[in-house]
Amino acid sequence: GAAAQSAALRTMSFAEDLVAFLNDSWTAFHAVAAAKSLLLAHDFVELDEMEPWGQLQPQGKYFFTRNMSSLVAFCVGGRATSDSGVALIGAHTDSPCPKLKPISKCSRGACSMVAVAGYGGGLWHTWFDRDLTVAGRALVREGPRIVHRLVKIERPILRTSTLAIHLTKGDERGSFSPNLQQHLYPMLATAIKESAMMGKKKSDSKDAKHSPLLLHILMEHLGCETEQDILDFELQLCDTQPSMIGGAANEFIFSGRLDNLCSSYQSLRALVDSLDTLPEEPNVRAIALFDNEEVGSSSIAGAQGPILPDAIKRIVHGLHGGDQGLPADLLPRVIRKSFCVSADMAHAHHPNYPERHDPALAPKIHGGIVLKHNPNQRYASSAVTSTIFRQCCLKEDLPFQEFATRSDTGCGSTIGPITAALTGMRTVDIGSPQLSMHSVREMMGADDAEHGYRALKAFFNNFSSVDRTLKVDKAPNGVPNGAGARHNVVESQSQGDSLVTDGNDTQPTLQQSVSEGSAHSGGKHKRKRRKH
């Protein structure tokens, strides 16, 4: 019908926008640059961390970058006060890839190679026999200044070749396990062709840390007159095959870096596309796109670094109007009112490896956003935080699924537990389902790209109203727990907390909302409950 056709067009439109973002965002630096452009197009004000921010205004829209590889953007609700909470979505901009070493010049067998090291936990065998190039950033001298420039060589200039089957041993054919030092380095050129191309210029670069041919390519790209103008760079290998929509029914997205640029883009769009409800918002809405998640997040731009605590402190000060008269307990109160959605991609059910999944908790492609659970705190989701996120989805009739690994299988982690421990925020882990995670070429459902975006937008639009129905660690009307206040309690078996509803609250209670959601599950949401 017309409604189904409209939904299909909406899904394809978002998927096409995501693909365009992916094609712009070969590295974390490019992803932040693309996010910055979108925010500026929606009249966000760029803040400088080295300068005072001054008074933050109701309905004000702001952002800042750190290291040009992470970004924090936030919108002040029209009804926000100095002690308002922060409704935050966190994602990350980095993906596993081979990165160039500080000295990448390498010669092997009369060939000019490029020395690389693996960043993160990549499926390194998938990088073989791909048409590769380099991208990242460079520090360039321009007169008296040193400037930060993005690098993106779009043509294929590198390739790591596999060994022909006729030259392999039996055990190598059974399990392809390349040695990263010996086998992963890509070929840039044969030595004779490099010498012919560079001519006399080669003698100028005999002591260079990098191939003179590679430096020449970078010089042309950056518009530099000499190699000495390029002071340093951070480059990584990139696959030149574009991100695209594919499948016989055009139902999939094929791309590198879906983990986690898909969540980054969903978060970004959810923030800018929910601006129409900002005037009635009592909280601050924010997104944090961190770097270095794939290597543990412990960096200046990572989730375990100070960027998020710094941002929250400065937001609180900006809403209060400065440090003078700032109550000592204001920041802890803001944190306790805040909530973080850790958005990172989830594992979809793999049709060729069904035995690797818990059959009751294996998300399906096109099945909707995934809530991720782990009893050992590899994910930060709890009964409380999961319920809040589900209620936001139910308010807009959006599909969701549940995920946990098999009991005999290990579990990856996200920025969720890090953020919860570092800040004290309530946190839930969610993500869109995908296949081939950490491959050079991943895939996901186009429907899931849009489902995830709509779920995150629903979080921004509905969190404040849902949160008002939920009381944990606090009795209604400010009466301490155990002091004889009359209230209804639903015990949380997993944590020993209480979900408390206030009989004087005019909002629907959480218990009522859950009941409504359960009744709702008899229809559209039946397949999205604990069955998965």
Side-chain angles (χ1 to χ4, degrees), residues 105-129:
K105 185 179 180 181
C106 177
S107 295
R108 289 178 179 172
C111 292
S112 179
M113 313 295 285
V114 175
V116 296
Y119 171 87
L123 292 174
W124 303 122
H125 64 276
T126 66
W127 287 80
F128 283 71
D129 298 329

Side-chain angles (χ1 to χ4, degrees), residues 113 123-132 158-168 172-173 175-179 182-187:
M113 313 295 285
L123 292 174
W124 303 122
H125 64 276
T126 66
W127 287 80
F128 283 71
D129 298 329
R130 304 293 299 184
D131 300 334
L132 304 175
L158 297 163
R159 190 177 178 94
T160 302
S161 297
T162 50
L163 185 65
I165 191 171
H166 316 84
L167 303 178
T168 58
E172 292 175 324
R173 295 175 201 145
S175 177
F176 180 52
S177 302
N179 179 286
Q182 185 67 24
H183 303 136
L184 190 61
Y185 288 12
M187 184 190 300

Side-chain angles (χ1 to χ4, degrees), residues 47 53-57 62 64 72 74-76 80-87 282-286 307-338 423 425:
L47 300 171
W53 287 1
Q55 180 79 46
L56 300 178
Q57 301 300 319
Y62 309 94
F64 68 90
V72 175
F74 59 95
C75 305
V76 180
T81 62
S82 62
D83 66 346
S84 291
V86 178
N283 293 311
V284 176
R285 297 173 181 173
I307 183 170
L308 184 57
D310 287 352
I312 295 173
K313 287 177 186 175
R314 297 193 73 167
I315 289 170
V316 170
H317 288 199
L319 292 176
H320 183 73
D323 294 339
Q324 191 166 1
L326 191 72
D329 67 345
L330 181 57
L331 183 59
R333 285 191 282 123
V334 168
I335 290 295
R336 295 308 305 142
K337 294 178 182 179
S338 299
T423 67
M425 279 190 188

Side-chain angles (χ1 to χ4, degrees), residues 44-228:
F44 278 68
V45 175
E46 184 170 9
L47 300 171
D48 187 339
E49 284 197 279
M50 297 184 184
E51 301 293 336
W53 287 1
Q55 180 79 46
L56 300 178
Q57 301 300 319
Q59 300 187 58
K61 300 173 292 184
Y62 309 94
F63 77 95
F64 68 90
T65 65
R66 182 176 289 189
N67 192 47
M68 198 54 192
S69 62
S70 63
L71 176 146
V72 175
F74 59 95
C75 305
V76 180
R79 295 170 52 202
T81 62
S82 62
D83 66 346
S84 291
V86 178
L88 171 74
I89 301 172
H92 65 90
T93 58
D94 61 319
S95 301
C97 64
K99 292 195 174 188
L100 271 65
K101 290 185 174 181
I103 298 177
S104 70
K105 185 179 180 181
C106 177
S107 295
R108 289 178 179 172
C111 292
S112 179
M113 313 295 285
V114 175
V116 296
Y119 171 87
L123 292 174
W124 303 122
H125 64 276
T126 66
W127 287 80
F128 283 71
D129 298 329
R130 304 293 299 184
D131 300 334
L132 304 175
T133 188
V134 294
R137 67 171 172 188
L139 296 177
V140 177
R141 187 180 299 282
E142 289 186 359
R145 300 186 307 137
I146 298 174
V147 297
H148 177 277
R149 298 278 298 280
L150 295 182
V151 174
K152 186 179 182 183
I153 309 300
E154 301 203 20
R155 67 184 180 94
I157 61 172
L158 297 163
R159 190 177 178 94
T160 302
S161 297
T162 50
L163 185 65
I165 191 171
H166 316 84
L167 303 178
T168 58
K169 300 175 182 179
D171 59 337
E172 292 175 324
R173 295 175 201 145
S175 177
F176 180 52
S177 302
N179 179 286
L180 301 189
Q181 175 72 19
Q182 185 67 24
H183 303 136
L184 190 61
Y185 288 12
M187 184 190 300
L188 178 69
T190 57
I192 191 169
K193 288 293 185 180
E194 181 179 44
S195 178
M197 285 189 66
M198 297 308 298
K200 295 180 180 179
K201 294 180 180 179
K202 186 168 184 181
S203 62
D204 299 334
S205 307
K206 61 182 178 180
D207 297 322
K209 298 178 180 179
H210 307 281
S211 159
L213 180 54
L214 178 61
L215 290 174
H216 181 71
I217 291 171
L218 294 175
M219 282 171 53
E220 287 189 334
H221 178 74
L222 295 167
C224 297
E225 295 183 1
T226 69
E227 295 173 7
Q228 287 69 36

Side-chain angles (χ1 to χ4, degrees), residues 336-347:
R336 295 308 305 142
K337 294 178 182 179
S338 299
F339 192 97
C340 174
V341 175
S342 167
D344 205 346
M345 302 297 280
H347 297 292

Side-chain angles (χ1 to χ4, degrees), residues 347-410:
H347 297 292
H349 178 269
H350 198 305
N352 291 340
Y353 299 90
E355 72 281 1
R356 302 300 176 90
H357 303 274
D358 185 315
L361 293 156
K364 305 297 190 295
I365 289 179
H366 305 322
I369 198 73
V370 178
L371 285 86
K372 302 191 282 188
H373 310 274
N374 183 266
N376 298 308
Q377 289 297 295
R378 300 294 287 170
Y379 302 129
S381 305
S382 68
V384 173
T385 59
S386 297
T387 296
I388 289 174
F389 190 80
R390 290 191 200 101
Q391 294 304 304
C392 292
C393 292
L394 285 169
K395 278 181 170 287
E396 301 193 15
D397 200 30
L398 298 177
F400 53 82
Q401 311 178 75
E402 314 284 340
F403 167 78
T405 59
R406 288 172 54 98
S407 301
D408 57 0
T409 303

